[in-house]
Each structure stands twice: as structure tokens, then as C-alpha cells.
């Protein structure tokens, strides 16, 4: 039952955030910058994050939230919602319609003492304790592919 509630919450939050994105998508928008000239933030980023976090806090008030635009108080919950309210802000700000809402839920498992690095590796489904090094081989029976989006910067 809980898994369905988590998924339902994420889907509802993503759909509400998408409505925020669409409400600004054809308008002139104010753009500010975080730490570099290409790390943009728009009003749509901030409002979409507020919509998402309000929905999550309403349904799961004790869960942690790790989001791109704001810092939230840490709780003792093993659950953390990881949010990029407007994944592809640079595309969005330049009118390129390749952007999304990214929401994930992670649960800390205290007895798990193995951490897998994300350095071009993923666990091998045939031998879960052995990572596949994508620099040396592809997943068995699957072609190598990449999807790249974005704006080139000087």
C-alpha cells in the first residue's frame, strides 16, 4: 500500500509542477543565476519546487526533502525525497522544449554497508555485487547509447 501512496504523491506533484512550467513557458521570464552565468534559476523553478514540496509535506510530513532551490530541515526519517523541480532550466529559459520534473524517493537502509559509486558503473543484474564498468563493456545484450540535451556555453 505504501509504495502506491509514494508513487501517487510523486505523480501528483510532478503534474502540478508541470502546470507551473506551462504557465510560464511562453512568457518573458526573469532569470537569475546561482553561482555561474550558466546555472540559471527562474520563477518557474522556485514555484514548481514549492508546489512539489507542499504536496509531499502534506502527505508525508516527517520525510526529508533534498531539493535544488531551497534547503529544508532534516528529520530522523529514513525517507528522503530528492527533487529537481525543473530539470533542464537552461533549455526551458531558452525556449527549448526539453525539460522535465525529476522526483525520487530514497530510503536509508541502516544495515546496508555497501555504497556503489555512480562513476559510469551500475550493478550487474547477473551478479549484483559486481559492478559493470561501462568504459570496458556494455551491458550484455544491450547497445550502448547516450541522450544529451542542453545549451552549449562559451
Amino acid at each position: 500500500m505504501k509504495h502506491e501512496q509514494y508513487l501517487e504523491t510523486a505523480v501528483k506533484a510532478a503534474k502540478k509542477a508541470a502546470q507551473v512550467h506551462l504557465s510560464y513557458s511562453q512568457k518573458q521570464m526573469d532569470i537569475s543565476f546561482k553561482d555561474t552565468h550558466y546555472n540559471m534559476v527562474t520563477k518557474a523553478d522556485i514555484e514548481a519546487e514549492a508546489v512539489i514540496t507542499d504536496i509531499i509535506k502534506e502527505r508525508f510530513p516527517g520525510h526529508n526533502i533534498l531539493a535544488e532551490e531551497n534547503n529544508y530541515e532534516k528529520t530522523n526519517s529514513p525517507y528522503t525525497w530528492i527533487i529537481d523541480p525543473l530539470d533542464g532550466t537552461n533549455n526551458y529559459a531558452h525556449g527549448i522544449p526539453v525539460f522535465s520534473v525529476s522526483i525520487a524517493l530514497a530510503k536509508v537502509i541502516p544495515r546496508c554497508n555497501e555504497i556503489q559509486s555512480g562513476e559510469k558503473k551500475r550493478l550487474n543484474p547477473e551478479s549484483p555485487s559486481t559492478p559493470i564498468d561501462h568504459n570496458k563493456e556494455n551491458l550484455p545484450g544491450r547497445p550502448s547509447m547516450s541522450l544529451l540535451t542542453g545549451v552549449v556555453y562559451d
Side-chain angles (χ1 to χ4, degrees):
M1 180 63 168
K2 274 283 195 198
H3 292 292
E4 290 91 16
Q5 291 174 329
Y6 298 145
L7 181 59
E8 178 185 306
T9 300
V11 169
K12 178 180 180 180
K15 286 181 177 180
K16 291 286 188 184
Q19 290 174 352
V20 172
H21 298 167
L22 293 174
S23 73
Y24 286 101
S25 67
Q26 300 301 317
K27 298 178 184 173
Q28 181 69 30
M29 67 183 85
D30 293 329
I31 299 171
S32 56
F33 299 90
K34 295 178 189 176
D35 51 2
T36 62
H37 74 280
Y38 54 83
N39 196 357
M40 300 176 181
V41 64
T42 67
K43 196 170 185 178
D45 288 275
I46 294 164
E47 286 185 27
E49 182 173 298
V51 165
I52 293 166
T53 56
D54 286 349
I55 290 168
I56 291 170
K57 286 187 214 176
E58 178 184 309
R59 292 188 179 189
F60 305 104
H63 286 190
N64 292 295
I65 294 177
L66 175 61
E68 189 168 359
E69 309 309 334
N70 292 293
N71 294 318
Y72 296 89
E73 188 174 329
K74 181 150 175 46
T75 72
N76 290 326
S77 173
Y79 292 97
T80 300
W81 292 87
I82 303 161
I83 302 161
D84 187 341
L86 179 47
D87 196 352
T89 299
N90 292 338
N91 286 349
Y92 181 84
H94 287 90
I96 300 169
V98 181
F99 54 87
S100 65
V101 179
S102 295
I103 302 173
L105 177 60
K107 181 180 180 186
V108 173
I109 303 171
R111 293 169 39 169
C112 180
N113 61 1
E114 182 176 319
I115 297 175
Q116 182 62 45
S117 169
E119 298 174 14
K120 291 189 177 183
K121 295 179 177 160
R122 80 182 238 190
L123 293 181
N124 183 342
E126 283 143 36
S127 177
S129 63
T130 307
I132 294 173
D133 186 340
H134 289 288
N135 293 321
K136 295 180 182 171
E137 63 181 305
N138 292 324
L139 288 173
R142 297 184 188 149
S144 176
M145 88 160 104
S146 296
L147 173 64
L148 303 173
T149 65
V151 177
V152 178
Y153 303 101
D154 295 339

